[in-house]
DNA sequence: GTGGTCTAGACCACC
DNA sequence: GTGGTCTAGACCACA
């Protein structure tokens, strides 16, 4: 069995998306799930404390508590009284499907925003490609 | 004046994602906006009637009313009491510079969202291309 | 940051005109807008809670919600989940020329409305002055 | 008793106010009442036919029918089968109060529009005075 | 038939 | 406690 403090990892960074319309506690949950899917978080990693995350995201601690509780109920994380909250020993089902759903949601909402602004899908694609090109150059 | 039924177009299909956590009325709004971006809906098209869409999506008519109203307030659609709801004719387009700035902001925020979710720029681009392809097929 | 209760202001009073034929939610919206013009409400002021205003006006809370939401969509107020609804800080003001054009349009349309109702410009001016006087008295 | 065709008067002109939020049939009613209050319409005057008014205002004949019916129910007008609709023999109660209510509504909505646009009551008053001055000069 | 307004009341998200 | 979403259903305005 792997010890929990075997290899300390850099803390996972949360980010809120104000324009998505998705409830805050839901975004926290989704990000933990997403991080599990990508491997950014693995079994044994410690999550930020409730208070710390509340400060970081400028939200109410109760909102964090709620998100953590829901994650714990679904078996993804484990709360160790007095020491913190940790990623559970595994078994994230359907990681791929969940990840795909999240990406799809981003894509659909982006297309919607473009439409509301009078932009076509093609214009959007072109702009995104241009952005990618910019990034590529900056790196070289 | 051009008649609205001059050239009947395939009706636009709405669909709901029950697990996304995004409010239903928001999903309806986003889909209309998205359809404007993809060209699935164009100026003059009639949207489903409030009652019809409510039946199709198995939701309350008031929820549809709310979505339509918000779309009207933002100038994207026009309602004509007693006859129906239509895509607006006169969505004034911004001038070039402002327009470009706006598109750029959408792109930047989308990249940020994707990054926060652990998706690469390439994954994002691929998903957007896939969405475009989907639209192309539906239209043919 | 300035505290919101630093200098308690007299609460803004809403009232309904049952015989006017104007929808209730519209009257609420117009009164908030009017209060902004008269200075009865200023940035940072808290509006009555949804439930309180519903009780005061003897209407359904949902009707208040609808009015507040429309005001928020137009950028005049800001809602903070769990704490209340406030007059927005950042109502960006238009530049001089555009601003003047806008005011002129309001004036022209008002004169036209008054004329259609058989009111002279002098009657209109007198009524507006009376409204201003009323505001002045309420404030003292 | 005054004969109805004794002295033919110029037809009364109706106008619709699209921005007021007041139902169309209600505006028709209000304008007849207002015209009675100002003397623009007097007992015996003929109103436009249902069809004519519907065409003039670009509204549905049923809407006119409804307005006329309501006016008839309140005893202000009389329908003469085959010859037209006429102002009744009088007794408009409370003409002054009704007229005042109408003017007040215009004033309140104008102040509201100004507030929504970020204008103060004083700015509005100044603009209206300027408009009056302009009119005065044009006439001299 | 269409959309518009309002009520009553449930349940959720957040402070 | 705050606001947010959704439902069910009544009644009105309009074509």
């Amino acid at each position: 069995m792997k010890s929990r403090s075997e290899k300390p990892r850099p803390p996972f960074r949360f980010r809120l998306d104000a324009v998505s319309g998705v409830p805050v506690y839901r975004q926290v949950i989704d990000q933990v799930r997403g991080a599990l899917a990508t491997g950014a978080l693995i079994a044994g990693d410690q999550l930020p404390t409730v208070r710390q995350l509340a400060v970081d995201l400028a939200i109410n601690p109760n909102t964090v508590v709620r998100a953590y509780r829901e994650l714990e109920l679904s078996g993804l994380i484990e709360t160790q009284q007095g020491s913190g909250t940790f990623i559970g020993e595994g078994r994230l089902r359907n990681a791929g499907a969940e990840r795909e759903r999240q990406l799809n949601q981003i894509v659909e909402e982006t297309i919607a925003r473009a439409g509301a602004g009078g932009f076509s899908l093609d214009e959007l694609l072109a702009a995104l490609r241009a952005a990618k090109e910019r990034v590529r150059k900056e790196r070289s």
Side-chain angles (χ1 to χ4, degrees), chain A:
Chain A
M1 183 186 173
K2 265 166 92 176
S3 157
R4 269 188 180 109
S5 49
E6 198 173 69
K7 183 184 170 189
R9 327 184 81 243
F12 176 66
R13 300 273 301 168
F14 287 86
R15 282 182 70 169
L16 289 186
D17 181 355
V19 308
S20 69
V22 179
V24 173
Y25 86 101
R26 199 25 149 109
Q27 292 189 43
V28 172
I29 293 172
D30 281 352
Q31 285 185 34
V32 172
R33 285 191 174 144
L36 281 167
T38 61
L41 284 177
I42 61 173
D45 281 348
Q46 178 168 8
L47 289 172
T49 66
V50 168
R51 284 175 193 169
Q52 186 56 52
L53 186 52
V55 169
D56 287 354
L57 300 180
I59 60 179
N60 190 289
N62 284 336
T63 305
V64 180
V65 167
R66 177 154 213 163
Y68 279 13
R69 190 179 52 210
E70 202 157 309
L71 282 164
E72 181 160 29
L73 282 173
S74 67
L76 295 180
I77 69 176
E78 293 168 7
T79 301
Q80 305 288 333
Q81 266 285 6
S83 63
T85 306
F86 301 85
I87 300 296
E89 282 307 324
R91 82 185 201 308
L92 172 62
R93 286 168 299 241
N94 237 342
E98 170 62 13
R99 199 157 178 272
E100 188 178 345
R101 196 194 61 72
Q102 280 186 32
L103 178 55
N104 215 44
Q105 182 170 313
I106 292 174
V107 165
E108 295 298 340
E109 285 184 18
T110 300
I111 294 175
R113 283 185 71 186
F119 302 101
S120 71
L121 223 180
D122 284 327
E123 284 179 287
L124 182 61
L125 257 169
L128 202 59
R129 278 199 213 94
K132 180 187 168 188
E133 198 55 27
R134 245 176 286 137
V135 169
R136 207 183 53 75
K137 274 183 185 157
E138 281 168 13
R139 285 201 183 143
S140 67

